[in-house]
């Protein structure tokens, strides 16, 4: 199953340096049966994209916990065999065990520099947006309007070097 692991730029740097990455609390996002049922329509690609966007939103929460991190959402796409569904948390949430190497990564999704200001604003209001504050939801939407850039796994060291 393809899972989407939320991350931050410092996490990606540590991944490249150490060769391993374990998702925070084993949390990842995927196209689960619950996610498929929550949409009236959509093909597999569209629903996987929705799961990736859920991971990107989780990346905002990781950024909120690390004030020194570059304000860029990061998501790793990894194919995993052992996945536990967590519909009690949300439709696309899954739990994965262990850590992953760069060889396990199918793709890296990362915000570009143009998104930084909007991502920084969204990080500051992510909790308020979840609680329904319309201004916070607008700020969150502005960040989510930025498409994440796609990189092949072998490009990651070079992309990080350019940041």
């Amino acid at each position: 199953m393809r899972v989407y692991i939320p991350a931050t730029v410092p996490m990606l740097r540590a991944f490249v340096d150490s060769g391993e990455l374990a998702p925070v609390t084993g949390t990842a996002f995927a196209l689960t049966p619950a996610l498929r049922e929550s949409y009236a329509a959509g093909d597999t690609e569209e629903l996987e994209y929705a799961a990736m966007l859920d991971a990107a939103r989780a990346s905002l929460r990781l950024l909120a916990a690390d004030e020194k991190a570059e304000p860029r959402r990061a998501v790793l796409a990894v194919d995993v065999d052992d996945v536990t569904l967590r519909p009690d948390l949300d439709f696309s949430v899954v739990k994965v065990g262990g850590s992953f190497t760069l060889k396990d990564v199918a793709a890296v999704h990362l915000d570009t520099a143009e998104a930084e200001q909007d991502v920084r604003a969204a990080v500051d209001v992510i909790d308020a947006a979840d609680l329904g504050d319309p201004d916070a939801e607008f700020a969150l939407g502005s960040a989510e309007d930025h498409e994440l850039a796609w990189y092949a796994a072998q490009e990651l060291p070079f992309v990080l070097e350019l940041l």
Side-chain angles (χ1 to χ4, degrees):
M1 173 182 276
R2 171 77 40 101
V3 300
Y4 300 92
I5 301 170
T8 63
V9 171
M11 290 172 67
L12 295 178
R13 290 185 197 285
F15 180 35
V16 168
D17 290 344
S18 72
E20 286 190 338
L21 177 97
V24 175
T25 68
T27 300
F29 299 80
L31 171 50
T32 64
L35 181 63
R36 187 176 300 280
E37 289 175 17
S38 71
Y39 279 82
D43 63 18
T44 298
E45 187 175 320
E46 291 170 319
L47 297 175
E48 283 185 342
Y49 182 72
M52 194 266 301
L53 291 179
D54 287 345
R57 184 173 283 200
S59 177
L60 289 172
R61 294 190 180 290
L62 295 174
L63 288 170
D66 183 358
E67 294 178 7
K68 294 181 182 178
E70 293 90 334
R72 295 187 186 203
R73 298 168 298 159
V75 176
L76 297 172
V78 179
D79 293 317
V80 180
D81 292 327
D82 187 22
V83 175
T84 303
L85 302 178
R86 292 297 313 265
D88 56 312
L89 296 177
D90 204 350
F91 295 137
S92 64
V93 178
V94 296
K95 185 167 178 103
V96 295
S99 60
F100 303 97
T101 67
L102 206 51
K103 288 178 15 181
D104 299 317
V105 176
V108 178
H109 304 274
L110 184 65
D111 270 319
T112 61
E114 291 79 26
E116 286 187 2
Q117 183 176 348
D118 289 331
V119 168
R120 189 175 290 113
V123 165
D124 291 340
V125 298
I126 184 77
D127 290 331
D130 283 347
L131 295 173
D133 179 301
D135 292 332
E137 288 175 357
F138 181 79
L140 182 61
S142 293
E144 291 178 339
D145 283 345
H146 294 276
E147 291 289 329
L148 297 173
W150 180 96
Y151 300 98
Q154 63 269 25
E155 293 177 294
L156 182 58
F158 306 107
V159 169
L160 293 173
E161 197 174 296
L162 295 173
L163 293 181

